[in-house]
Amino acid sequence: MTRNEIREQRKNTLRAIQGLVSTYGWLSSIPSYKRVAAELNHDNIKTIWGNDWTTKRVCRFLQRMGYSGLHGINEELQGRPRKVLK
């Protein structure tokens, strides 16, 4: 996989997670990591290495992308940026 392919896959995964968090926004809560991992696996979105998603992998992915977890994504979607600065 080239760098550009990896970068594009990460963007697509992040968009999928943001979509899941936004659909739960009307419930005024965010989904659990377990729910996000299950949805990513259901949609056949794999990790960079081609593995299935686990709760820990979702958490680590968001940390690597600079977010403070699902809560950080939810805050950003509501217009309050919560991205961790590197």
Side-chain angles (χ1 to χ4, degrees):
M1 217 178 225
T2 66
R3 285 184 183 182
N4 288 334
E5 291 172 339
I6 290 172
R7 194 173 295 130
E8 194 61 34
Q9 185 174 357
R10 284 181 179 155
K11 285 180 187 178
N12 292 338
T13 302
L14 187 58
R15 279 190 219 117
I17 293 172
Q18 287 172 336
L20 287 170
V21 172
S22 68
T23 58
Y24 280 81
W26 62 273
L27 294 173
S28 71
S29 66
I30 56 175
S32 65
Y33 286 100
K34 187 175 184 178
R35 177 71 177 187
V36 170
E39 290 290 333
L40 290 172
N41 290 329
H42 181 268
D43 294 340
N44 289 327
I45 299 174
K46 300 290 184 181
T47 65
I48 296 296
W49 295 99
N51 297 321
D52 287 336
W53 287 95
T54 63
T55 56
K56 187 159 197 121
R57 286 181 180 151
V58 171
C59 182
R60 296 288 187 203
F61 171 78
L62 292 174
Q63 287 176 345
R64 273 188 240 106
M65 295 300 288
Y67 289 93
S68 58
L70 293 171
H71 178 72
I73 288 183
N74 187 43
E75 291 292 311
E76 185 175 74
L77 290 173
Q78 294 179 8
R80 299 182 296 256
R82 298 289 282 190
K83 193 168 183 182
V84 178
L85 299 176
K86 289 186 177 184

